[in-house]
Amino acid sequence: MGAEERRRWSSLVRQDAVNAVMGHLHNAHLQGVAVIGPAGVGKTTLSRRVEERILATTHVIRLFGSGSDTDIPYGAFNVLMARLSDRQLETPAAVLQLLVDLIRDDARGRPVVIFLDELPGIDTASMGVLMQLVLSGTAKLLVTVRSTAELPEDLVWMVKDGLMATERIDVFSRAEVRILLSRALDGAVAESVVSTFYTSSAGNPLVLEALVHEHYTSGTLRQHGGVWVLVGPRRTTSGNILPELVRSRLARLPEPVRVGLEKFALLRKVPLSVALRALGPETVSELEERGFLSISPGLNSTVTLAEPYIGETLRNQLTADEKAVRFQEMSGVLGLDPASMDKQQLLTFAAWVHDAGMVLKPKAALAAARAAVNYFDPQLALACCAHIPRGHAREVQAAQVRSQAYGLLANYAKAVEALDGVSPDVLSGLTLKEYAAWAAELSSSLLWVPDGYSRIEELLADLAWRIEQADPGDEVTVRAGKLLKLARFEFQVHRGEFSQAGPELLAGSKDPSDRQYRLNCTSMLAMVLVTTGRELDAVALSKAVRAETAEHDVVLRRGDWHLKALILALTWTGQWRACESIMKDAVEQTSHLAQYRGGVMELALGLAYVYAGRGAQAADVLLVAAAQLEIRDTYNSLELVYSALAFAFAQINDVTSALRYLSKAGNTAPQTMWVNRSMAEFFQLMALRWLDDPHAAAKLVASAEIDIAKGRFTSASISLFGATTNGTNEQYRLLEETSLKRQGPMAAVNVALARAHRRGSAALALEAAEGAHALELAAVESRCAVVALDLARNAGEARLSREAQRRLDALAQQVPVLPIMPHHAAVPLTARERQVAALAVKGMANREIASRIGVSIRTVEGHLYQVFAKVGITSRSELEQGMDL
């Protein structure tokens, strides 16, 4: 490894802890330091970094404890003892002196540091040598230990007497991993990368370093668009470092315990009762005691590996034959029946059988594939589907799951291809319900490909005809009809036909007899509500769907409609702080989604920032999202992210970047949902408006008029608010009328501002500004304050004018570019004018002011005249009443 690479990866170690240990070793009043922390925390890695720092000027001796029950004298010094002849080892005093002399000779006048790694115990004779070396000033001691209870008694009293320092460290938190990765990679890091490395390493510094190095050297971790992202399948083990680490960890384990750990590496995550049957109570207890297993509390305890990298490493090391042997050993004990397993157990079982090169029965393979899709593991889903041969009765169902897996991979063409690959002969043999399920899945896949809409219309028309030919009272026909409705609703919502879908979705959301159908309808209804002006209702509905699906373990056909509605509702009503909190939690808590949903999750957070007018924050997050979406374009979101970036850069007056991303958005025309296209168009037009394009405002109004005609009042109101910075009374009337059909605090701001314009009321404009201030919408507040300032000056309302100006002054640092400038912008006071005005406010007469500052009375009168003109007042009394100087 070269110097540059060493520098890069060494930054993954806590430099503050390294510096602290170095400080203790250099402290003349201390004789050593104990680094304390649990297993896997990186104590050894830290000590090695310290060793690297001091090696050029210090003689370092590395010793290892040999266990608390040892009776081998000088066991810790066995390497040095081998250099002494038998005749020299006649008395303990002689041995002690010889070892001390040998160490001093090797040091050649340099300071000596003795590093005692992972101290489990040390024999009495070795301890005597150590104490002689330390207390005589020959050496200082660096000990790594899990707890102070493991320190020998001699070292305990040294700590108590202040002769030895202690430095406690713990595993990296997620936030620390994020910071360390940014430092090591010297750039922005996608949240999906943070999630992958944090989860895989469990915060272990050495494992983190090994994983990052492996991904970096293999090319799966690369910089794209200035952001570090993962490309291709996630690698969970390192070529050399981790296997060696695992071997060293397992070398001290008794054989039965080591075998038990291998077996559990294949089990991955199971109920405690299953682990006890598979490994035996004693093995489970010992593995937990040694820190290998983590057992959750509660009645339904589950067991997992405390450090996931150990399981991944062991699974990679075991051959297929060895895995098959372990499978056979446990199958009799566990009674591994796929029909009786929950989803997580089924996934474990399927991965195990697949890794072992054995064949899954089609029924189990299909169930496992569906579970893999639900748990966002598309690669495992595809592997399970491969166990279902063509011509099998479950072939069509397998094609549907393959399509869903390709959808997770954002390979929408392959998703369609998986379903189109079912032969007409096979389709003709399906029951109506089976055909309806296939057609509904194909309809969902076609939403994302060019010319997909026309095929959907033909497909659903054909399905409707088939249903009309069937017995209307038959249960199969009813079920097929519901699948047709859900497919049609999804199609309508996808292309923005909310008014058409709304009434039937509302009816479906009240179906008392079919929870699955009701919740699917309710999920899509939330999207209808958020776009048609009922944002707060959408929030409540989304939360209700989330709670019920979790309680009853319901898997929705397209489970994220209501989640999208929730995020959009919070964003569009101005509650961007709540949206920010939800998205940050989601990014941190759903690490299993990071690889396949990281880009769109960060896109959602970036959208919240850009709607809130926080261009700099938005750009930072959106650049990370764009880097990921350029690799895996989930939901065909590239045009949206480029458009949002254009607006974000326009907000911070970065014209070059704004134009660049406008160009990129213009060259991207993906097949995507109406909401995405609508937001992309809005951001492009708003970026152009901020860049003074003369046609942008008119296009925003035209877009709003189309939305109003289609009942999409939320998006219409947003467009009108963006268009009317210099709008007409008619446009403000339309903004007020449309915003009154919406819910939430942002709608109230829109209404107040529209009325302020129409009535010429500075007070209403300030009311709107206060509403925006409560939402922390600085750009909106500044716009409202500018309107209030103009209206107040036009009406000669000095107090309101001063209040509006104070708002703008307070916002100056937050808003790089004002959305609009005051028509009567005040000229800044000169230093002398401000001085004269300040003295006048204190009640001083013109003569007194002239005497105080050493000018003529006529000069003072001239300065006051300029102040009155600039501030927009006519008398000294107005100046004294409220001038903020």
Side-chain angles (χ1 to χ4, degrees):
M1 188 184 296
E4 175 58 26
E5 283 197 75
R6 280 198 299 273
R7 182 206 64 78
R8 182 187 295 276
W9 310 128
S10 66
S11 65
L12 288 171
V13 180
R14 293 184 180 86
Q15 293 304 314
D16 55 344
V18 171
N19 293 335
V21 172
M22 292 283 294
H24 296 319
L25 291 175
H26 288 142
N27 188 333
H29 302 293
L30 294 175
Q31 294 172 328
V33 56
V35 179
I36 301 170
V41 77
K43 301 185 295 295
T44 300
T45 305
L46 184 148
S47 68
R48 286 172 179 164
R49 294 294 180 266
V50 172
E51 182 179 346
E52 289 172 3
R53 294 263 295 269
I54 66 176
L55 198 56
T57 58
T58 306
H59 179 54
V60 178
I61 302 172
R62 186 176 289 274
L63 304 179
F64 299 91
S66 54
S68 57
D69 59 347
T70 182
D71 57 0
I72 302 174
Y74 307 107
F77 290 92
N78 56 0
V79 175
L80 292 175
M81 292 290 290
R83 294 167 61 186
L84 304 177
S85 68
D86 291 341
R87 285 184 298 177
Q88 293 175 305
L89 307 178
E90 295 176 354
T91 66
V95 173
L96 173 61
Q97 189 58 51
L98 287 167
L99 286 173
V100 171
D101 291 344
L102 187 58
I103 290 171
R104 283 175 174 165
D105 289 344
D106 289 344
R108 298 177 183 176
R110 293 174 296 168
V112 178
V113 170
I114 298 176
F115 172 36
L116 193 55
D117 190 14
E118 276 294 354
L119 177 66
I122 189 169
D123 64 275
T124 304
S126 294
M127 197 66 224
V129 175
L130 275 178
M131 294 305 294
Q132 174 65 24
L133 289 166
V134 171
L135 295 177
S136 66
T138 302
K140 289 196 174 185
L141 190 59
L142 172 56
V143 179
T144 63
V145 64
R146 296 186 184 187
S147 69
T148 52
E150 293 185 358
L151 286 172
E153 187 176 344
D154 290 330
L155 297 187
V156 171
W157 71 254
M158 287 182 67
V159 171
K160 289 181 178 179
D161 287 355
L163 299 176
M164 176 174 278
T166 59
E167 189 68 31
R168 295 183 181 276
I169 62 173
D170 205 342
V171 294
F172 289 143
S173 67
R174 184 192 182 95
E176 287 175 317
V177 169
R178 183 185 297 108
I179 294 169
L180 289 165
L181 287 173
S182 297
R183 185 186 302 159
L185 297 169
D186 194 23
V189 180
E191 198 62 35
S192 58
V193 175
V194 177
S195 294
T196 295
F197 289 136
Y198 175 68
T199 302
S200 298
S201 69
N204 182 307
L206 183 59
V207 179
L208 177 64
E209 179 180 343
L211 287 171
V212 174
H213 181 262
E214 174 67 13
H215 282 77
Y216 177 81
T217 55
S218 69
T220 55
L221 175 64
R222 67 179 67 163
Q223 201 168 27
H224 183 85
V227 179
W228 288 95
V229 296
L230 285 172
V231 180
R234 186 181 71 176
R235 300 172 68 96
T236 50
T237 58
S238 175
N240 297 310
I241 303 174
L242 288 186
E244 182 59 38
L245 178 62
V246 171
R247 275 194 293 272
S248 67
R249 290 283 301 275
L250 270 58
R252 307 176 201 176
L253 294 179
E255 179 67 12
V257 178
R258 184 184 59 77
V259 171
L261 187 58
E262 286 183 358
K263 289 181 178 179
F264 195 85
L266 297 173
L267 291 174
R268 305 177 192 229
K269 178 180 179 181
V270 292
L272 177 58
S273 59
V274 174
L276 291 172
R277 290 201 306 273
L279 311 182
E282 292 183 3
T283 301
V284 170
S285 178
E286 185 161 0
L287 286 171
E288 183 192 21
E289 187 176 328
R290 290 175 179 267
F292 288 105
L293 297 185
S294 176
I295 302 176
S296 66
L299 295 176
N300 300 315
S301 296
T302 57
V303 186
T304 56
L305 282 165
E307 297 165 288
Y309 78 92
I310 292 179
E312 297 290 349
T313 303
L314 287 175
R315 286 194 292 274
N316 283 337
Q317 289 177 342
L318 291 171
T319 66
D321 288 343
E322 289 171 331
K323 291 174 182 176
V325 169
R326 297 288 184 240
F327 177 84
Q328 295 299 331
E329 289 173 354
M330 285 193 284
S331 60
V333 178
L334 300 178
L336 296 172
D337 177 17
S340 63
M341 296 178 183
D342 62 26
K343 291 175 184 175
Q344 186 62 56
Q345 291 170 325
L346 188 59
L347 280 178
T348 299
F349 171 78
W352 186 357
V353 172
H354 178 72
D355 289 347
M358 297 184 288
V359 177
L360 274 169
K361 292 182 179 179
K363 182 178 179 181
L366 182 62
R370 285 172 171 162
V373 166
N374 293 338
Y375 279 90
F376 281 79
D377 192 343
Q379 301 293 354
L380 179 57
L382 292 171
C384 291
C385 287
H387 290 264
I388 303 172
R390 280 190 173 275
H392 192 275
R394 291 182 170 82
E395 175 192 354
V396 178
Q397 293 169 292
Q400 293 169 219
V401 178
R402 278 201 303 274
S403 178
Q404 293 167 5
Y406 283 123
L408 290 179
L409 294 167
N411 192 337
Y412 302 114
K414 290 285 283 185
V416 172
E417 183 183 313
L419 293 161
D420 278 342
V422 180
S423 70
D425 290 342
V426 172
L427 290 176
S428 65
L430 297 178
T431 66
L432 179 59
K433 180 180 176 182
E434 291 169 339
Y435 182 83
W438 171 85
E441 194 63 51
L442 179 56
S443 176
S444 292
S445 300
L446 287 167
L447 292 170
W448 306 97
V449 298
D451 302 320
Y453 280 3
S454 60
R455 282 196 62 188
I456 290 173
E457 290 175 337
E458 296 172 5
L459 182 68
L460 297 186
D462 173 67
L463 178 56
W465 177 83
R466 289 172 184 255
I467 292 172
E468 288 172 3
Q469 307 307 306
D471 180 359
D474 185 75
E475 183 180 342
V476 171
T477 307
V478 172
R479 182 59 190 156
K482 287 183 175 180
L483 285 171
L484 171 62
K485 285 184 178 181
L486 290 175
R488 184 176 290 130
F489 296 153
E490 187 178 12
F491 185 29
Q492 291 172 326
V493 171
H494 196 272
R495 59 183 181 181
E497 297 174 351
F498 304 110
S499 296
Q500 294 91 320
E504 284 197 77
L505 280 172
L506 180 60
S509 71
K510 297 177 180 179
D511 188 330
S513 61
D514 189 337
R515 175 178 280 116
Q516 183 86 24
Y517 177 70
R518 174 170 56 80
L519 288 174
N520 273 292
C521 288
T522 307
S523 178
M524 285 187 274
L525 179 61
M527 277 295 292
V528 171
L529 296 181
V530 76
T531 52
T532 55
R534 296 176 58 185
E535 298 102 300
L536 300 185
D537 291 343
V539 170
L541 203 62
S542 176
K543 292 179 178 178
V545 173
R546 291 178 73 186
E548 190 172 354
T549 51
E551 180 183 356
H552 297 281
D553 195 24
V554 176
V555 177
L556 302 179
R557 276 177 48 78
R558 289 294 175 265
D560 50 7
W561 285 107
H562 60 285
L563 300 178
K564 291 177 185 174
L566 174 64
I567 297 305
L568 290 174
L570 293 173
T571 299
W572 287 344
T573 55
Q575 300 175 82
W576 67 277
R577 283 292 189 191
C579 181
E580 176 187 50
S581 177
I582 289 173
M583 292 312 304
K584 284 186 173 180
D585 287 345
V587 167
E588 293 193 2
Q589 294 174 10
T590 54
S591 58
H592 63 291
L593 302 181
Q595 188 174 2
Y596 304 108
R597 288 292 182 267
V600 291
M601 293 173 79
E602 286 162 324
L603 170 59
L605 180 59
L607 295 182
Y609 288 145
V610 78
Y611 273 112
R614 298 189 171 246
Q617 280 178 280
D620 287 344
V621 177
L622 290 168
L623 284 170
V624 175
Q628 295 173 88
L629 291 169
E630 284 170 350
I631 294 168
R632 178 178 286 114
D633 191 8
T634 304
Y635 298 136
N636 293 343
S637 303
L638 270 179
E639 182 188 17
L640 176 55
V641 74
Y642 291 153
S643 303
L645 275 166
F647 187 25
F649 282 119
Q651 289 174 351
I652 59 176
N653 204 29
D654 185 343
V655 176
T656 301
S657 295
L659 290 173
R660 181 170 71 252
Y661 280 101
L662 277 173
S663 176
K664 289 170 78 75
N667 292 326
T668 307
Q671 174 69 21
T672 189
M673 59 194 307
W674 176 86
V675 168
N676 283 4
R677 291 199 310 274
S678 175
M679 288 191 289
E681 180 188 8
F682 171 75
F683 291 140
Q684 290 174 46
L685 291 174
M686 286 300 293
L688 289 170
R689 192 193 64 70
W690 279 57
L691 298 176
D692 297 324
D693 183 286
H695 308 294
K699 290 178 179 178
L700 284 164
V701 173
S703 175
E705 289 171 341
I706 293 171
D707 285 340
I708 291 170
K710 292 184 175 291
R712 300 186 294 235
F713 301 116
T714 307
S715 52
S717 171
I718 292 170
S719 294
L720 287 168
F721 186 79
T724 52
T725 48
N726 295 297
T728 64
N729 272 339
E730 174 58 25
Q731 289 171 346
Y732 275 109
R733 181 199 63 75
L734 192 58
L735 173 62
E736 178 184 351
E737 184 180 286
T738 306
S739 299
L740 284 169
K741 296 177 181 178
R742 291 181 60 192
Q743 297 173 335
M746 190 58 197
V749 171
N750 287 3
V751 170
L753 184 64
R755 288 174 175 171
H757 269 279
R758 297 182 65 213
R759 301 175 186 177
S761 170
L764 275 174
L766 286 170
E767 179 184 316
E770 182 57 31
H773 179 76
L775 295 170
E776 298 182 72
L777 298 173
V780 176
E781 182 185 356
S782 68
R783 173 181 169 181
C784 298
V786 166
V787 171
L789 182 63
D790 280 337
L791 293 175
R793 285 177 174 167
N794 287 340
E797 296 174 308
R799 182 184 60 80
L800 295 181
S801 174
R802 290 192 294 272
E803 183 178 341
Q805 187 62 58
R806 278 196 295 271
R807 278 192 182 273
L808 286 172
D809 291 343
L811 290 166
Q813 299 303 314
Q814 298 181 50
V815 186
V817 183
L818 289 177
I820 54 173
M821 296 297 293
H823 291 151
H824 306 285
V827 179
L829 300 180
T830 66
R832 180 66 87 183
E833 289 166 353
R834 187 169 289 276
Q835 182 186 25
V836 169
L839 294 174
V841 167
K842 292 179 180 179
M844 294 179 67
N846 290 355
R847 185 179 297 278
E848 293 176 285
I849 295 173
S851 176
R852 169 72 67 87
I853 64 176
V855 298
S856 67
I857 296 176
R858 182 67 57 87
T859 300
V860 170
E861 290 172 348
H863 284 319
L864 285 176
Y865 176 82
Q866 290 295 325
V867 170
F868 291 169
K870 289 180 179 181
V871 176
I873 58 178
T874 57
S875 69
R876 179 187 274 259
S877 61
E878 288 182 277
L879 186 68
E880 293 172 355
Q881 286 170 8
M883 210 37 209
D884 184 16
L885 298 165

